[in-house]
């Protein structure tokens, strides 16, 4: 049981709560922005209005998701000043510019073209509108690039120096940005975002196919989502393996905790399930497959895996947490790959839109991407403990000199506001999703003038009236 009178513990709980609430929105919006770009591109190519109808259906959901992602992200940045001011002071010269680049290259791009994408369909040409949608999608990927670069630097710091007052300062920006774990985290996260969107879209498509097997929009959603699951889920397993090897090289204590190994062993087993006990330094009731752990992590049956006892107790992550979150993430990933293969088999048999059991399974898996992203994020961040900058700056030395009462009060306020605001937002999104794609959604969410018409429309109406009057006189 954590000590709830400790401001450090409360600050960590507060950041874990807010980042867990935040991470699902960018994960969904990254994948959804690319999905919208593909839908509009298909409409331009085929001129099949069904693609346009599905585009407008998800465009509204994207707008709500994007807005909640921005708001929840701003809240997190404030916490760096309130609860983690020492961390901000020490790492600001490195992480501040990375966040600045994210705003300049990603947020400006997204914000600049988002208005055209949401409100400009009848006001600009279709090709310019598609370009705007494409830029929004590219902007979300740029955002992922910079955020993952900053986060990866905290895990595998590189290209830095330390000045006279103990601040990390950039010595080589290329090494800072492209630090050793960055490429693996970026690929893993972007693929996770695409899978999250694929299963959310697939679940909605499956729901509407169960209600109406002839719904053309639902067929488009489900088919595209299952193509994505079939292609990306196996790719994610490969990317996860490479990411794991990189983590073993740079953060071996995290891998030991993920695997539940306390003893250093050659030919280490793969522990499928068990109960890690950090106090007793053992995993109880372990269900193991001999030597498979070494084979997966070192690609050698007799490869050596360091156990947690190889590090002092105050330099180990808590295996009791990340052992299970890692298994939740991996289990969901394997289930996603199974759904993708199942849908491929049904597609070959011509039963993709009539296989009701597959539709029910896809519906049950609709929130799986969000759960996997949160579980993966907890594994990554809790596995970095007890460091905020791995091996260099401890979490205990990063917190602000602030009292437990202040952190506890703000934590309670965050929980109340988040459940009210984001709960309402999530409810609204679910209501939008419950509408059938072929029924359409009123996407006229753009600003209207008081008279309900634009000046251009008023001029056209006046011109028509004059012409009709002249025709009558003639």
């Amino acid at each position: 049981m954590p000590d709830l009178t400790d401001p450090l513990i409360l600050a960590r709980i507060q950041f874990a709560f807010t980042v867990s609430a935040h991470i699902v929105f960018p994960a969904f919006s990254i994948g959804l922005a690319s999905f919208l770009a593909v839908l509009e591109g298909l409409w331009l190519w085929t001129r099949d209005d069904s693609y346009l109808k599905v585009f407008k259906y998800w465009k509204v959901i994207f707008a709500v998701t994007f807005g909640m992602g921005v708001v929840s992200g701003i809240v997190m940045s404030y916490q760096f000043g309130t609860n983690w001011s020492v961390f901000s002071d020490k790492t600001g010269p490195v992480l501040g510019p990375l966040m600045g680049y994210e705003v300049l290259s990603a947020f400006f791009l997204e914000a600049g073209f988002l208005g055209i994408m949401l409100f400009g369909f009848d006001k600009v040409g279709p090709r310019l509108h598609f370009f705007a949608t494409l830029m929004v999608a590219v902007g979300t990927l740029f955002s992922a690039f910079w955020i993952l670069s900053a986060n990866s630097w905290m895990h595998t710091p590189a290209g830095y120096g330390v000045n006279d007052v103990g601040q990390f300062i950039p010595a080589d920006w290329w090494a800072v940005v492209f630090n050793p774990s960055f490429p693996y985290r970026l690929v893993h996260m972007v693929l996770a975002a695409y899978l999250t969107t694929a299963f959310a879209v697939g679940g909605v498509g499956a729901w509407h196919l169960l209600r109406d097997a002839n719904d053309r929009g639902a067929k488009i959603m489900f088919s595209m989502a299952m193509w994505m699951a079939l292609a990306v889920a196996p790719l994610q397993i490969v990317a996860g393996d490479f990411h794991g090897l990189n983590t073993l090289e740079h953060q071996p204590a995290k891998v030991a905790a993920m695997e539940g190994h306390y003893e250093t062993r050659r030919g280490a087993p793969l522990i499928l399930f068990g109960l890690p006990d950090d106090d007793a330094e053992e995993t109880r009731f372990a269900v193991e497959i001999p030597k498979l752990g070494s084979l997966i992590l070192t690609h050698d049956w007799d490869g050596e895996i360091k156990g947690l006892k190889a590090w002092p107790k105050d330099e180990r992550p808590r295996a009791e947490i990340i052992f299970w979150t890692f298994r939740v993430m991996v289990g969901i990933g394997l289930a996603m790959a199974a759904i993708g293969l199942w849908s491929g088999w049904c597609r070959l048999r011509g039963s993709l839109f009539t296989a009701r059991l597959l539709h029910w399974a896809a519906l049950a898996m609709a929130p799986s991407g969000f759960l996997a992203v949160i579980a993966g994020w907890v594994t990554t961040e809790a596995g970095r403990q007890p460091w905020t900058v791995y091996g260099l700056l401890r979490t205990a030395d990063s917190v602000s000199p602030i009292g437990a009462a202040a952190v506890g009060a703000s934590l309670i306020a965050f929980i109340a506001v988040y459940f009210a605001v984001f709960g309402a937002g999530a409810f609204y999104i679910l209501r939008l999703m419950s509408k059938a794609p072929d029924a359409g959604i009123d996407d006229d969410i753009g600003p209207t003038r008081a008279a309900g018409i634009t000046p251009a429309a008023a001029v056209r109406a006046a011109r028509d009236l004059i012409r009709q009057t002249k025709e009558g006189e003639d």
Side-chain angles (χ1 to χ4, degrees), residues 343-363:
S343 70
W345 172 251
C346 290
R347 196 185 296 272
L348 286 175
R349 291 168 56 89
S351 60
L352 184 67
F353 302 125
T354 57
R356 294 179 67 82
L357 192 57
L358 173 63
H359 299 164
W360 280 112
L363 179 60

Side-chain angles (χ1 to χ4, degrees), residues 148 181-196 232-233 235-244 247 258 326 329-330 333 372-373 376-377 379-380:
L148 265 297
S181 65
F182 167 62
Y184 304 93
R185 292 180 199 281
L186 178 65
V187 171
H188 199 47
M189 185 65 212
V190 170
L191 292 180
Y194 284 155
L195 281 174
T196 297
V232 176
L235 197 61
Q236 179 70 309
I237 292 173
V238 176
D241 180 55
F242 279 102
H243 186 22
T247 305
M258 288 160 55
F326 176 65
M329 178 187 69
V330 172
V373 165
W377 199 254
T379 303
T380 295

Side-chain angles (χ1 to χ4, degrees), residues 150-174:
N151 179 262
S152 298
W153 185 85
M154 293 160 63
H155 286 268
T156 52
Y160 67 91
V162 180
N163 64 15
D164 294 339
V165 293
Q167 292 176 310
F168 298 103
I169 55 173
D172 180 349
W173 273 113
W174 283 104

Side-chain angles (χ1 to χ4, degrees), residues 111-123:
F113 286 97
L114 186 65
I116 299 174
M117 190 187 95
L118 294 178
F119 310 127
F121 192 81
D122 297 324
K123 300 175 179 62

Side-chain angles (χ1 to χ4, degrees), residues 56-74:
K56 291 183 176 181
Y57 181 92
W58 284 100
K59 182 181 73 174
V60 182
I61 296 171
F62 173 82
V64 180
T65 304
F66 184 83
M68 290 197 290
V70 171
V71 172
S72 58
I74 291 173

Side-chain angles (χ1 to χ4, degrees), residues 2 76 95 120 132 144 169 180 183 188 206 215 236 283 290 299 304 321 335 339 388 405 410 413 426 438:
M76 286 174 53
L95 298 184
I169 55 173
H188 199 47
D215 190 315
Q236 179 70 309
T283 299
H299 294 185
E304 181 180 279
I321 298 173
I339 292 286
T388 47
S410 59
D438 272 357

Side-chain angles (χ1 to χ4, degrees), residues 150-356:
N151 179 262
S152 298
W153 185 85
M154 293 160 63
H155 286 268
T156 52
Y160 67 91
V162 180
N163 64 15
D164 294 339
V165 293
Q167 292 176 310
F168 298 103
I169 55 173
D172 180 349
W173 273 113
W174 283 104
V176 169
V177 174
F178 297 96
N179 58 79
S181 65
F182 167 62
Y184 304 93
R185 292 180 199 281
L186 178 65
V187 171
H188 199 47
M189 185 65 212
V190 170
L191 292 180
Y194 284 155
L195 281 174
T196 297
T197 302
F199 277 86
V201 171
V204 174
W207 167 246
H208 291 296
L209 282 175
L210 287 166
R211 301 170 74 183
D212 178 5
N214 296 315
D215 190 315
R216 168 76 172 144
K219 287 181 178 180
I220 289 174
M221 289 181 200
F222 190 68
S223 178
M224 291 178 68
M226 291 301 104
W227 274 124
M228 182 63 79
L230 179 63
V232 176
L235 197 61
Q236 179 70 309
I237 292 173
V238 176
D241 180 55
F242 279 102
H243 186 22
L245 295 177
N246 179 266
T247 305
L248 181 65
E249 180 181 354
H250 296 281
Q251 295 177 304
K254 180 194 290 189
V255 173
M258 288 160 55
E259 300 295 336
H261 289 305
Y262 290 88
E263 305 289 346
T264 299
R265 300 174 61 177
R266 285 193 170 276
L270 175 67
I271 301 176
L272 295 176
F273 301 103
L275 296 176
D277 186 334
D278 288 319
D279 294 328
E281 298 184 316
E282 64 174 325
T283 299
R284 305 180 189 278
F285 313 113
V287 178
E288 305 175 343
I289 300 178
K291 293 184 178 287
L292 190 56
S294 286
L295 180 65
I296 292 174
L297 290 171
T298 67
H299 294 185
D300 179 354
W301 286 105
D302 294 314
E304 181 180 279
I305 304 295
K306 277 190 174 181
L308 284 168
K309 288 183 179 179
W311 290 270
K313 280 192 172 184
D314 65 348
E315 294 185 7
R316 304 175 190 170
R318 300 288 295 185
E320 293 154 340
I321 298 173
I322 65 176
F323 178 86
W324 284 107
T325 54
F326 176 65
R327 273 148 189 78
V328 169
M329 178 187 69
V330 172
I332 291 175
L334 293 175
M336 287 175 164
I339 292 286
L341 292 172
W342 187 2
S343 70
W345 172 251
C346 290
R347 196 185 296 272
L348 286 175
R349 291 168 56 89
S351 60
L352 184 67
F353 302 125
T354 57
R356 294 179 67 82

